[in-house]
Amino acid sequence: LAEATERITALVARRHAGNRQAAEHGAVARLAEQGIELRVGAGPGALRVAPEMALLTEALRVTEAARLRLLPRLVRLKPRDVYGYQRALLQFLG
């Protein structure tokens, strides 16, 4: 996960001149354009997680449909079920 954090930091710096908020907004919007809606029916915890997962997806250059379909589940799980989230994250990173 340290490598993923480094990639996210580099992505924000390179594409958005260090503006993390702009990077998050753009990443979520790009996923929505692909039909991956991360904020539908999400509670406050999930709303914080959605931009993190969107940036992670971009930083790792995830394009496989099966992995992208896991994103809404990851967003819902992280604030509620740490163990379920970890299992799903391992599957996503697979």
Side-chain angles (χ1 to χ4, degrees):
L1 235 31
E3 180 184 340
T5 302
E6 290 174 13
R7 285 185 182 197
I8 290 169
T9 301
L11 174 84
V12 172
R14 186 177 61 250
R15 290 192 191 165
H16 300 280
N19 184 337
R20 187 177 176 95
Q21 186 175 9
E24 290 175 348
H25 179 75
V28 170
R30 281 184 286 283
L31 284 172
E33 289 171 3
Q34 297 177 56
I36 307 296
E37 190 60 53
L38 299 182
R39 295 182 174 175
V40 173
L47 289 176
R48 286 189 303 274
V49 174
E52 294 173 12
M53 294 309 302
L55 281 177
L56 178 63
T57 300
E58 284 200 355
L60 297 179
R61 299 180 180 151
V62 175
T63 58
E64 298 90 0
R67 290 172 67 191
L68 292 173
R69 283 192 301 268
L70 286 171
L71 288 170
R73 182 169 174 235
L74 286 164
V75 168
R76 285 189 305 273
L77 282 172
K78 187 173 182 180
R80 295 183 189 160
D81 179 1
V82 174
Y83 297 112
Y85 169 75
Q86 289 175 348
R87 282 189 301 274
L89 181 61
L90 288 173
Q91 187 178 8
F92 174 76
L93 296 173

